[in-house]
Amino acid sequence: MLRFMFVGDSMTIGSAGEHTWRHRMWRHLRDTLGAGEFAVVGPRSALYDKAAGEPLSHDYADPSPDFPRHHLAGWGEGWLHMAPRIAGALARDPADVLLISLGLIDLGFYTNAEQTAENVREFVTRARAANPGIRMVLLPVIPNIRAASDAPFADEVARFNVLLAKTVADLDTGRSPLLLASAPSSYDIGLDTYDGTHPNASGEHKLAGAFADAMAQAWGIGGPYAALTRPTG
């Protein structure tokens, strides 16, 4: 049984009333691997409650008890925050595959491109210390409203994405493979987000599809993401 852990920022934890792309990915894995062939693990389970300003909500759009809500994601958290936490999270909840979407918060508030890339390396080192055979799929920083309106920030994002690709190439090993997913080519912040950054239903599908297609093509896990042809609700 493959154990997956979602690692991310506000786009991954989601907020009250959302499905989250984690839910879309779970449905895809259930459809392609089979319900008994994988598990979703992680030390957290809540959504972010915007009114409270804390991750306190369990008001998922799909209330089904079958949906595993486990994750390691946090509103306002980035590589800087997750690097020190990943070993402990894996010790508590062992995983085989990490699906990681981080970087925007780092570049927006904490670290430049080079410093963020160093934190990626630290994250990988600590994850491998907990599980030397861990697999990781990493998503570049995707289009967002700040990059659309702030040219220096857009340049920083572009520089980090280049460094991220180099880091993945440098650190990839046969025992612990790293995989760089492709940012969804059709991602449109006007159509796929509700505020220029956080994904709406169609954006959730596209983020899940980026991870699913990368794993299917590189590792033969699951299959192509078919839900993009379905209604986005």
Side-chain angles (χ1 to χ4, degrees):
M1 177 182 288
L2 280 174
R3 298 161 298 179
F4 294 86
M5 184 183 292
F6 299 100
V7 183
D9 53 26
S10 56
M11 291 182 283
T12 298
I13 186 175
S15 58
E18 298 176 11
H19 282 89
T20 74
W21 72 264
R22 297 182 281 113
H23 176 274
R24 314 298 186 178
M25 189 65 185
W26 163 70
R27 290 187 61 184
H28 168 77
L29 293 171
R30 185 188 61 184
D31 291 346
T32 57
L33 295 179
E37 299 302 317
F38 74 98
V40 174
V41 302
R44 303 175 181 176
S45 61
L47 295 158
Y48 187 74
D49 185 324
K50 293 181 180 178
E54 297 286 345
L56 301 174
S57 176
H58 293 274
D59 183 22
Y60 283 85
D62 181 356
S64 168
D66 294 337
F67 169 43
R69 292 154 171 78
H70 312 294
H71 63 79
L72 178 62
W75 200 276
E77 296 184 57
W79 289 107
L80 175 68
H81 309 85
M82 294 305 182
R85 293 185 176 133
I86 188 59
L90 288 171
R92 179 190 184 277
D93 298 289
D96 305 296
V97 182
L98 303 181
L99 304 179
I100 310 165
S101 174
L102 290 168
L104 178 59
I105 291 297
D106 301 88
L107 299 172
F109 296 97
Y110 301 111
T111 50
N112 63 26
E114 290 75 16
Q115 292 165 332
T116 305
E118 283 302 311
N119 286 329
V120 176
R121 290 177 178 270
E122 181 66 17
F123 179 100
V124 171
T125 297
R126 295 192 182 206
R128 286 174 169 167
N131 177 1
I134 193 81
R135 298 184 183 209
M136 297 175 238
V137 188
L138 297 81
L139 187 70
V141 176
I142 62 172
N144 60 84
I145 193 168
R146 181 171 172 184
S149 59
D150 182 339
F153 181 71
D155 290 342
E156 197 74 10
V157 168
R159 186 160 68 253
F160 170 71
N161 282 344
V162 170
L163 291 172
L164 181 65
K166 182 179 186 303
T167 299
V168 168
D170 288 347
L171 300 183
D172 180 41
T173 69
R175 186 180 186 190
S176 173
L178 301 187
L179 180 60
L180 185 66
S182 298
S185 59
S186 63
Y187 202 84
D188 184 323
I189 63 172
L191 299 175
D192 297 318
T193 77
Y194 62 80
D195 61 358
T197 297
H198 299 95
N200 57 21
S202 64
E204 290 170 358
H205 280 297
K206 289 180 179 180
L207 292 182
F211 283 99
D213 290 346
M215 287 195 296
Q217 292 165 12
W219 297 337
I221 294 177
Y225 192 78
L228 292 177
T229 63
R230 305 172 189 163
T232 57

